[in-house]
Amino acid sequence: MVEGRFSKFLKKLAFSGAGHQYQLLERGELETLIDGQNELKAIEKEKTVVALPPKEASKCHREDLAEAFYVDLQNGLSEFSVTQRRLVHGWNEFVADNTEPVWKKYLDQFKNPLILLLLASALVSVLTKNYEDAISIAMAVLIVVTVAFIQEYRSEKSLEELTKLVPPECNCIREGKLQHLLARDLVPGDIVSLSIGDRIPADIRLTEVTDLLVDESSFTGEAEPSSKTDTPLTGAGDLTTLSNIVFMGTLVQYGKGQGVVIGTGERSQFGEVFKMMQAEETPKTPLQKSMDKLGKQLTLFSFGIIGLIMFTGWLQGKHLLSMFTIGVSLAVAAIPEGLPIVVTVTLVLGVLRMARKRVIVKKLPIVETLGCCNVICSDKTGTLTANEMTVTQLVTSDGLHAEVSGVGYNGQGTVCLLPSKEVIKQFSNVSVGKLVEAGCVANNAIIRKNAVMGQPTEGALMGQPTEGALMALAMKMGLSDIKDSYMRKKEIPFSSEQKWMAVQCSPKNEEQEDIYFMKGAFEEVIRYCTTYNHGGIPLPLTPQQRAFCQQEEKRMGSLGLRVLALASGPELGKLTFLGLIGIIDPPRAGVEEAVHVLSDSGLSVKMITGDALETALAIGRNIGLCNGKLSAMSGEEVESAEQGALAERVGKVSVFFRTSPKHKLKIIKALQESGAIVAMTGDGVNDAVALKSADIGIAMGQTGTDVSKEAANMILVDDDFSAIMNAVEEGKGIFHNIKNFVRFQLSTSISALSLITLSTVCNLPSPLNAMQILWINIIMDGPPAQSLGVEPVDRDTLRQPPRNIKDVILGRALVLKTLLSAAAIISGTLFIFWKEMPEDKASTPRTTTMTFTCFVLFDLFNALTCRSQTKLIFEIGFLRNRTFLYSVLGSVLGQLAVIYLPPLQKVFQTENLGALGEWEGSPRTAAVLAARAGHLQTFPGREVPAWGHPVCKGLGSCLDICTG
């Protein structure tokens, strides 16, 4: 653009012979040329501006910052500078790499090994001209991948709705004017003005500060807001110690400030975490690994059948190609094409049940993962706790102790004296009343009262969380309006050096002298006190009394409480000490019960926090981690430990404190290396990388940051930690249902294949014709089979320990049960086939009809016993799974239609068995045998048939009597 301006000037440069005569430029053209050259220089200068690392920026003086970013700290950048810098640095936003087109997401569903095996079998069916099999398999595959895709797509859309927030905005000074802009418009060097309630739009080096407090809990895990300054730092330590830097995504709790943008987008600390998260690959879920193994096992099984048939045919002197065709047909029939459908439907139903419980699951297999999860790592602030500072204990200067109930910035809760449990309101106890009054008056926080249907709800806090906790305490005591009784004349603000704040007030309704109210650290406040309050009477502050108060302060501090001391009096040097208030970010409602239930079911719950050791241990004890027997490990210890040594140690540690995102990731990796299946819960930016790398990441829906929701696999919409219990229960139940279905399908497949194989090997007529085998396949893959996938979760499931990740679906126990069921079906059906076979051993419609009917009856009884791996049908209940009962009833009616309706008799080559007489023979015997076979069941802890169980004996006797 600028170069284009010079083209006309070049034409002015005329060479005339050897004299090289030049044409002079006019004055206006000369000025334009100079302006163009200056603009080129300005563009080059703008390109040299780079983002400044926080540690380096923290050491810079104001003049150094102005020089480094070529910015006037009073007037800000020009629009020209902003435009040029945006060409280099881009927009202040993040671009996720996972924006795949819809068609690619759909095709990804075909990567499942079992799906690929089914597609291969469909192709073989086409090559062998078994088009009916090919069409049915192809339809099954399409149904599976479409249902899975639709459910995952819906989950993603639900997440998008959840994360739709008002676009972040900011106040920025440009060209000497304060402008209201979108945060994405910022570039390095912009001057940003901050005030209470603002979300920090980028990494900023502060240049002006007035009582600025910033909530950095989403970044550091610290519940207490960080006090900020504008002075250069001499030695830069950890990021959490940079008091003159504010980071993108954190929140201004109090005060105001101004500063220079030093990093935007992916060049901010927020962006560093985002890039780490993008680099982490989400591990395969245990169910996906199990399905992969099952696919390989079924492939080997199929090749085994083909080999066996071909070898047998070769021994009998039959044509190898025809034997290969038969073997391939049987192998295709053996593959349970209904399995992916059942798995998908079971997972979808689990996802829908979780959605009703306000839990969003982003990927279907994740639902089952919690069923084998044996370690849950949880962030503390905002996950185990509500991130709302709350007063829990009071100690008055005359030795009274009181406990405070209720959580959050509202008046819900009571103040009770100990040990009498007497509820205190207003000044019913003078010592407690004066203590609470001082905390309310020496306070700048405001709690906006909300109301729903006349009931008080959670209030919105404007101000510091600590002061909000004191205001909530006053509301519980009925003293929230006591502040209006005084007129404030002066405030001495809190500073990190003096560690206290005080206000000078005069009572409005009484002609009394001014009174000072002070709050702060005990060791500083006590220095200004000469007396202590004893039931409303000031008494001299003796060394013994001072020692008592100091002992109480240490006791409360050891419980992880933040302790504030309060005093009041006529002048700062002559104050009356009133007592101590203990504040903590308490556990969320229901967390303690959830931790107990999860621990009882074999899960280890670990807390990972950026907080100090005392606070972390206090919360750990409150929620019952490891039954109060806590062992702790610091972030520094985690960083210095070798990965192998850490993997051996992490299993024994229940609390990790002073951790960074890097430490959290290392802890997760060490746990996984030790063989654990790890779930990670969190809500902050500092949790995102760990959420992504864990086997299952769980984010908070309300308090969670966008980056944590992006990283997680599952989102608790209402931030209810106890919802994890429901997810664990669902996960365990789903895997049991999948095993039940596999047992039923494989036992049916093996039975059908064995009948045909045995008849082929023994040169007997086929006991079933092609259409009858197709009907059996419909039952095998149809409603009775599908209904096993919706069996309600057993009430005892949650108490069972997490399943071992190394356990495959086709384990030894399941194979044994499958073979026992198949043996019962084969022997019973062969018995009927042998009994009904005519003397010339010819296959007649009556023989195949009787054999066919008996096989179906056996299979339906087999489905009944497959509803549970460990309990009898009488223990789990006949009516609990109504879908199963309806599907069995439908199958029986369908079987009757195949036998008795003339049009279907022609198709299936069956004949009428008579109204009663025929049913008194072989089918009746088949029903008895099927009922007997149905009790080849196992009990908990036993892998043997339950023939000796009294219920089995009783049922067998009844059936024998009924059938003569």
Side-chain angles (χ1 to χ4, degrees):
M1 179 180 176
V2 177
E3 288 81 351
R5 298 178 185 175
F6 300 129
S7 59
K8 63 179 182 179
F9 298 131
L10 294 174
K11 295 175 183 177
K12 297 268 187 179
L13 302 177
F15 292 92
S16 176
H20 295 271
Q21 295 179 353
Y22 299 93
Q23 183 179 339
L24 294 174
L25 295 173
E26 296 174 8
R27 179 168 181 168
E29 293 171 332
L30 182 61
E31 289 175 353
T32 304
L33 177 59
I34 293 170
D35 288 344
Q37 289 174 333
N38 289 338
E39 188 172 337
L40 273 175
K41 289 180 181 177
I43 291 173
E44 291 301 320
K45 185 175 76 171
E46 294 296 341
K47 287 181 179 178
T48 62
V49 174
V50 294
L52 210 57
K55 290 184 180 180
E56 190 177 327
S58 67
K59 300 175 184 177
C60 295
H61 290 78
R62 289 164 55 91
E63 299 76 18
D64 300 331
L65 287 168
E67 186 177 343
F69 288 101
Y70 301 118
V71 63
D72 183 332
L73 297 182
Q74 298 303 318
N75 297 319
L77 296 173
S78 65
E79 289 299 331
F80 170 80
S81 296
V82 170
T83 304
Q84 297 303 320
R85 294 183 191 196
R86 188 168 295 128
L87 294 174
V88 177
H89 298 278
W91 298 96
N92 180 29
E93 60 188 6
F94 307 107
V95 180
D97 295 334
N98 59 349
T99 51
E100 293 180 345
V102 174
W103 62 267
K104 192 173 185 301
K105 290 181 179 179
Y106 184 78
L107 291 180
D108 283 346
Q109 302 292 334
F110 287 90
K111 291 181 179 178
N112 187 321
L114 201 56
I115 295 293
L116 294 175
L117 178 61
L118 288 173
L119 289 175
S121 65
L123 179 62
V124 169
S125 298
V126 171
L127 295 176
T128 54
K129 297 183 179 181
N130 293 322
Y131 299 115
E132 293 86 356
D133 282 351
I135 292 171
S136 64
I137 292 170
M139 289 298 296
V141 168
L142 282 175
I143 291 170
V144 168
V145 297
T146 304
V147 169
F149 168 75
I150 290 172
Q151 183 57 42
E152 290 184 9
Y153 186 74
R154 284 177 59 188
S155 293
E156 286 181 11
K157 288 299 176 186
S158 301
L159 179 64
E160 286 176 15
E161 291 298 319
L162 187 70
T163 55
K164 274 184 184 174
L165 301 173
V166 177
E169 300 173 342
C170 63
N171 294 310
C172 178
I173 299 173
R174 286 183 182 169
E175 298 185 334
K177 299 176 184 176
L178 184 65
Q179 302 180 27
H180 194 67
L181 305 171
L182 288 176
R184 74 188 295 266
D185 293 335
L186 292 178
V187 294
D190 261 325
I191 306 299
V192 175
S193 179
L194 302 170
S195 57
I196 187 169
D198 284 354
R199 182 75 63 180
I200 308 294
D203 286 358
I204 296 172
R205 162 66 164 88
L206 296 167
T207 55
E208 296 178 19
V209 163
T210 306
D211 301 334
L212 185 64
L213 289 176
V214 177
D215 176 8
E216 295 183 336
S217 60
S218 69
F219 189 75
T220 64
E222 287 276 7
E224 190 64 27
S226 176
S227 179
K228 296 297 178 179
T229 65
D230 55 10
T231 55
L233 303 178
T234 51
D238 189 70
L239 288 175
T240 58
T241 64
L242 303 182
S243 58
N244 58 6
I245 305 286
V246 288
F247 298 101
M248 178 192 283
T250 56
L251 186 69
V252 177
Q253 284 277 11
Y254 187 72
K256 57 184 180 180
Q258 187 171 299
V260 182
V261 173
I262 61 171
T264 59
E266 293 188 358
R267 293 179 181 86
S268 64
Q269 288 304 305
F270 195 120
E272 290 297 322
V273 174
F274 188 81
K275 283 190 286 186
M276 284 174 66
M277 183 193 77
Q278 291 290 97
E280 280 296 319
E281 288 190 11
T282 305
K284 272 192 171 185
T285 68
L287 179 61
Q288 287 171 322
K289 292 175 183 175
S290 295
M291 295 304 290
D292 289 351
K293 286 180 183 176
L294 181 61
K296 292 174 184 175
Q297 288 171 329
L298 291 176
T299 304
L300 292 173
F301 178 63
S302 300
F303 282 119
I305 289 175
I306 295 171
L308 179 64
I309 294 292
M310 288 183 68
F311 181 70
T312 305
W314 176 72
L315 290 177
Q316 293 179 344
K318 294 181 179 178
H319 198 267
L320 282 181
L321 183 60
S322 64
M323 287 292 99
F324 175 75
T325 305
I326 294 171
V328 167
S329 301
L330 291 175
V332 169
I335 296 170
E337 60 264 34
L339 179 58
I341 296 179
V342 166
V343 171
T344 303
V345 169
T346 305
L347 292 174
V348 167
L349 290 173
V351 167
L352 294 176
R353 283 193 293 267
M354 294 310 300
R356 286 196 290 271
K357 294 171 183 174
R358 308 286 288 163
V359 176
I360 292 177
V361 179
K362 291 164 70 175
K363 295 286 184 184
L364 288 180
I366 293 299
V367 188
E368 189 274 338
T369 304
L370 274 172
C372 51
C373 170
N374 47 23
V375 177
I376 295 181
C377 294
S378 179
D379 172 52
K380 180 186 77 69
T381 307
T383 305
L384 295 175
T385 65
N387 199 13
E388 294 177 335
M389 301 301 285
T390 305
V391 176
T392 58
Q393 288 190 27
L394 306 175
V395 178
T396 65
S397 53
D398 51 355
L400 295 177
H401 290 71
E403 65 176 8
V404 184
S405 63
V407 177
Y409 304 122
N410 55 59
Q412 297 174 15
T414 57
V415 180
C416 300
L417 270 182
L418 295 176
S420 65
K421 295 287 185 179
E422 175 192 348
V423 176
I424 306 169
K425 289 289 183 182
Q426 297 186 345
F427 288 95
S428 59
N429 183 288
V430 177
S431 297
V432 176
K434 281 186 169 293
L435 179 62
V436 175
E437 178 190 34
C440 182
V441 177
N443 202 312
N444 292 313
I446 298 171
I447 296 177
R448 292 178 178 170
K449 298 175 182 177
N450 302 325
V452 177
M453 301 296 288
Q455 297 295 320
T457 61
E458 192 67 25
L461 172 67
M462 300 296 291
Q464 301 179 40
T466 301
E467 293 192 336
L470 296 175
M471 289 301 297
L473 172 65
M475 291 166 69
K476 293 168 186 176
M477 289 272 291
L479 292 172
S480 57
D481 297 329
I482 196 74
K483 198 174 184 180
D484 299 334
S485 304
Y486 295 91
M487 181 182 295
R488 184 180 293 191
K489 290 185 173 181
K490 178 184 175 184
E491 177 182 341
I492 304 171
F494 177 89
S495 73
S496 54
E497 290 78 24
Q498 70 185 26
K499 296 182 180 178
W500 57 266
M501 72 87 69
V503 294
Q504 180 187 357
C505 303
S506 61
K508 287 182 180 179
N509 303 327
E510 301 173 23
E511 293 184 2
Q512 293 181 358
E513 61 182 8
D514 289 354
I515 183 169
Y516 283 87
F517 292 96
M518 177 187 282
K519 74 173 188 296
F522 169 76
E523 62 273 12
E524 298 298 327
V525 171
I526 201 76
R527 290 175 52 229
Y528 292 87
C529 299
T530 55
T531 59
Y532 75 97
N533 176 56
H534 186 84
I537 303 169
L539 297 177
L541 185 61
T542 62
Q544 292 85 357
Q545 190 64 28
R546 188 187 296 259
F548 164 76
C549 295
Q550 189 171 11
Q551 184 180 351
E552 286 296 320
E553 190 263 345
K554 285 185 177 178
R555 180 189 65 80
M556 294 169 74
S558 68
L559 297 175
L561 300 176
R562 185 181 182 213
V563 184
L564 285 181
L566 292 108
S568 65
E571 53 184 278
L572 286 181
K574 297 180 180 179
L575 297 180
T576 300
F577 186 72
L578 299 175
L580 303 167
I581 290 180
I583 303 173
I584 199 169
D585 181 13
R588 285 183 180 275
V591 167
E592 184 178 357
E593 293 80 4
V595 168
H596 281 305
V597 173
L598 291 170
S599 298
D600 291 343
S601 63
L603 277 84
S604 173
V605 182
K606 300 181 185 297
M607 182 168 68
I608 308 179
T609 178
D611 258 336
L613 174 61
E614 293 78 12
T615 307
L617 291 177
I619 295 296
R621 281 191 290 265
N622 286 347
I623 64 175
L625 279 184
C626 295
N627 296 319
K629 299 174 183 176
L630 303 177
S631 57
M633 189 175 186
S634 69
E636 289 182 359
E637 291 177 272
V638 170
E639 188 164 3
S640 61
E642 293 292 332
Q643 195 69 25
L646 185 63
E648 293 179 8
R649 187 177 172 188
V650 285
K652 303 168 187 174
V653 178
S654 48
V655 174
F656 297 89
F657 63 98
R658 293 293 186 205
T659 57
S660 68
K662 185 169 58 176
H663 299 146
K664 292 182 178 183
L665 178 61
K666 193 171 181 181
I667 292 165
I668 297 294
K669 296 285 188 187
L671 285 165
Q672 289 173 330
E673 191 177 314
S674 67
I677 301 299
V678 185
M680 173 74 196
T681 69
D683 65 334
V685 177
N686 58 334
D687 302 317
V689 184
L691 288 171
K692 183 78 178 284
S693 62
D695 294 286
I696 178 165
I698 306 169
M700 302 293 119
Q702 293 182 353
T703 59
T705 57
D706 288 349
V707 71
S708 68
K709 294 173 192 172
E710 174 68 28
N713 311 108
M714 196 167 92
I715 296 162
L716 308 181
V717 177
D718 295 329
D719 295 2
D720 183 6
F721 183 82
S722 60
I724 294 175
M725 291 189 298
N726 298 324
V728 171
E729 191 173 350
E730 284 291 341
K732 290 180 178 179
I734 284 169
F735 193 75
H736 286 304
N737 286 350
I738 291 172
K739 287 180 74 173
N740 294 342
F741 173 83
V742 168
R743 176 186 167 188
F744 172 68
Q745 277 221 322
L746 290 183
S747 59
T748 308
S749 298
I750 290 170
S751 302
L753 289 172
S754 300
L755 279 175
I756 297 166
T757 304
L758 286 171
S759 62
T760 304
V761 171
C762 299
N763 282 321
L764 293 173
S766 177
L768 303 169
N769 61 45
M771 290 307 297
Q772 290 169 353
I773 292 174
L774 179 63
W775 176 254
I776 289 169
N777 266 327
I778 290 172
I779 290 180
M780 184 179 78
D781 298 323
Q786 304 293 328
S787 62
L788 288 173
V790 298
E791 186 73 30
V793 178
D794 195 340
R795 295 182 184 89
D796 297 332
T797 298
L798 193 58
R799 300 192 193 99
Q800 296 176 9
R803 73 175 178 89
N804 193 326
I805 186 175
K806 295 178 181 177
D807 290 347
V808 293
I809 294 177
L810 269 181
R812 183 182 297 175
L814 187 65
V815 169
L816 177 62
K817 294 171 187 174
T818 302
L819 293 176
L820 283 171
S821 298
I825 296 172
I826 294 165
S827 57
T829 307
L830 281 176
F831 171 75
I832 298 299
F833 181 54
W834 169 77
K835 187 178 179 182
E836 295 294 329
M837 189 186 299
E839 292 182 5
D840 59 358
K841 294 186 179 182
S843 179
T844 64
R846 172 186 166 78
T847 305
T848 55
T849 302
M850 295 290 285
T851 309
F852 173 43
T853 303
C854 291
F855 189 100
V856 170
L857 286 174
F858 269 112
D859 209 30
L860 293 178
F861 271 96
N862 182 35
L864 189 67
T865 63
C866 287
R867 284 179 57 191
S868 174
Q869 299 290 324
T870 57
K871 292 184 177 180
L872 285 171
I873 187 63
F874 304 101
E875 294 174 285
I876 61 175
F878 274 103
L879 304 177
R880 200 174 67 161
N881 187 351
R882 293 184 181 274
T883 307
F884 177 81
L885 293 179
Y886 294 142
S887 63
V888 169
L889 179 62
S891 299
V892 171
L893 293 176
Q895 183 66 23
L896 292 175
V898 165
I899 296 171
Y900 292 107
L901 294 181
L904 293 178
Q905 285 179 340
K906 292 180 182 177
V907 173
F908 288 93
Q909 298 176 25
T910 58
E911 69 175 32
N912 196 326
L913 294 180
L916 183 63
E918 299 287 354
W919 279 88
E920 287 182 352
S922 298
R924 179 193 64 187
T925 309
V928 175
L929 288 171
R932 289 279 193 179
H935 296 290
L936 284 175
Q937 190 58 269
T938 57
F939 286 85
R942 289 173 53 189
E943 297 295 338
V944 294
W947 281 101
H949 194 274
V951 176
C952 299
K953 289 181 177 178
L955 181 65
S957 302
C958 290
L959 285 168
D960 290 341
I961 293 169
C962 292
T963 56

